[in-house]
Amino acid sequence: MSNPFITTPKTEGPVPVADRGRALGGRVSSTKFVSWALFSVIGFALAEAVSLAVPDRQEVNDTAYRLILAGLIALYLGIAVFSFFGESRRIKFIGRAPFRFAMGVVLTVWDLLSTKLDILPLPFFPGPSKITGVFLDEYAFLLSNTYYSLRLFFFGFLSGVILGVGTGILIGWFAKVNYWLFPALKITGVIPAVAWMPFALTIFPTSFIAGVFLIAICAWFPVAFMTAQGMAGTQRVYFEVAKTLGAKQSYLLFHVALPNAIPQIFTGISTANGLAFTTLVVSEMMGAKGGLGYYINWAKTWSSYYKVYAAIIIMAVLFSLILKGIGLIRSRLLVWQRGLVK
Amino acid sequence: MSREHEETLIEIQSVDRTYVDTNDNTIEALRGINLSIRRGEFLSIIGPSGCGKTTLLRLIAGLDTPEAGKITLEGREITAPDPQRGYVFQQGSLFPWLTVEKNIAAGLKARGVYQAEKSKPEIEKYISLIGLNGFENAYPHQISGGMAQRVAIARALINRPAALLLDEPMGALDAFTRADLQDKLLELWKQDRTTMILVTHDVDEAVYLSDRIVVMTPRPGKIEEIVQVDLPRPRRRNDADFFRYRSEILEKLHFVSTPPPIEFNI
C-alpha cells in the first residue's frame, strides 16, 4: 500500500442502473392521473363529436373515420388503465398526453375545414374521413398491395442484410479479401440502388426478383461496410485474452470480432432500412404489378389523391412497425450495452 | 522450502527484445534476460515503466516472441499463447457482451472444452472462490474494477494453468480494493499452488505477495537483482522486516540514494 490514507476506497457493489425516468416532481396522485387520462382522449372525443354532429358538405363515407377515432380512444384509455398501476408508467403516460390531445384537435380542425365546411380544395386536400374511407372501400385491394410490399421488402432486405454481414465478415477478417473487395465495395456502394433499375428490369425474369435485387443491393452496402468496420475496430486486448485462453481463429472471429461488431452492424442496418424503404417504393412505382408504390401510381392516374394519402398512411404505419421490430431485435441482442451507451 | 519449489517450471535463457518506436528509434526493451521460475512459487517482476517487465511477461505468455534466446516451459519452447499460461491484463479485458458467468465460461469455451452439465458447477465454484455470488448475470460495465479483475483471474484459472501471468492487475484499482484483491490472490494461490508471475510497479505489493522479487532496470531492460523474501505468511505490512525488504528493493530501484553531487558552482 503506497498511500492508504490518500486514496479513497471504492465500495464493491452493483452499480445502480441509471434512472432514466424524468423526474416530474415526485408522485402522481390517482385523481390527477385520471384527469390526465381523460385529457389525453378528449381531443379524439371532440373529433368524434364533430364528425357525428356537424353535417357533411362533401360526399364522404364517415364510417371508417369514426371507427378509427373510437379505436384510438379505446386504445389510449386501455394504455391509461395499464399505466395506472405503475409510478414510472404514469409519468410516461402524462408526458405523452398533450401530444395525443393535440392530435385530436388537429383532426377536428382538419375535418371541419374539409368534410364539414368544404374550404380545402379537392382533389388535392381531402378530409380525414375521405382518406380513411379508402380503408373500408378498397379493403381487399389495399391489403393485397400491402402484402406485396411486405413480401418484397422482407425478401429484399433480409437477403441484403445477410449478404452484407457475410461480405462484411470476409472484408473485416481476411486481409486479402479486404484488399481486393473493399475498394469495389466503396465504389459500387455509393451508387443509389435505383440507378441499376434499367438493368434489373431487363436482366431478371420478373419485376419481383428485380425488386428484391434492388433492395438487397441498397441494404448490402451499409451493412457490409459497418460490419467490416466494427470487426476491424475490435480492441487488441480481446483477441489476446482469447488467445491466452486457447482460442482458435474461428473463436476469435465468431466470439470476439463479430459480437464486438454487432452495435455497428445495427447502425448499418438502420441506414439500410431507410434506403430500402425508398428503393421499395421507387421500384414498385417503376415496374411492379403490385405493392403500395404501384397502388400510389395507379391511384394517381385516376386523380384519386385521397387514395394516395391512404397508401402513404399505410406506409407510415408499416415502416414504423418494421423499424420498431428491428429496434426490438437490436435491444435484445445488445442487452449488454444497456446503461453503458444511451 | 518444499521440494516442489526447487523444480524449474519456466526457463528464460538470454532473451533479447528490441522495438522500433514511431520516430524510428530502436529501443532495447530487454537485453540478456536469464531467469528460472520455479514451480508453485509466487514471483514478482518489479521496475519502473520502460524496464521491459510487461514485455517479458508477454514473451512468457507467447503473445510476443524474443529476438534472441528462448523461453521454455517444462522443457518445451514457448512459441504461441496457450491456456497453460493464463494471462490477466491490467484492466478492461472482460468481454463486454458477456455476463460474469459467461466470461468465466469463455475460458473453457475458447479452447473448446465447455460441456454444459460438467462445466456449470465448475464455473459456480470459481464464482464462489472469487466471492461474486449474486453477480453471475451482471455485465462487466455493471461491476466495479476490482470485481472485474477477479472475474478475469477466475477466467484464466478455470483452465487450470501451470502459471498465471498477471500484468499489473491491480494497477488501476484504489488502495483498499487493491489490498483486498491481493489477499484474494494469495488465497487462490495457496489453494492450487499455481505458479504466479506478477508484474507490478508497487514495491509493497511485491513484498507482500512474493517468494522472490525480480528487480529490473530500464534502457536496456535487464534484471538488476533477484530478492528472496523470507517472511512468514500472513505478512504484516507494518512489520520491521517488511520495511527492511521494502527499503532494500527501493534502493535497488535507485529511489533511495545519496543526493547527487553538485555539478556546478556559482
Side-chain angles (χ1 to χ4, degrees), chain B residues 42 57 86 88 153 164-169 185 196-199:
Chain B
F42 202 125
L57 200 69
V88 177
I153 291 168
L164 185 64
L165 317 180
L166 302 131
D167 183 9
E168 297 185 36
L185 202 57
M196 298 280 186
I197 306 168
L198 171 77
V199 159

Side-chain angles (χ1 to χ4, degrees), chain A residues 1 4 7-10 12 14-15 236-238 240-241 243-247 251 255-256 259-260 335-336 338 340, chain B residues 58 81-83 89 93-97 106 110-111 135 139 141-142 144 146-147 150 155 159 174-177 204:
Chain A
M1 229 41 13
T7 331
T8 39
K10 201 199 297 175
E12 288 201 344
V15 177
R236 205 176 63 164
V237 66
Y238 297 145
E240 291 189 336
V241 157
K243 280 184 197 165
T244 61
L245 295 171
Y251 188 91
H255 292 95
V256 181
N260 187 77
V335 69
W336 55 273
R338 197 169 290 160
L340 188 70
Chain B
R58 289 176 63 85
D82 190 285
F89 289 81
S93 74
L94 296 185
F95 300 125
W97 51 85
R111 61 185 181 115
F135 290 94
Y139 283 97
H141 73 272
Q142 295 170 318
S144 70
M147 294 164 108
R150 291 188 201 188
R155 181 174 63 178
N159 283 325
D174 67 79
F176 291 90
T177 313
D204 289 49

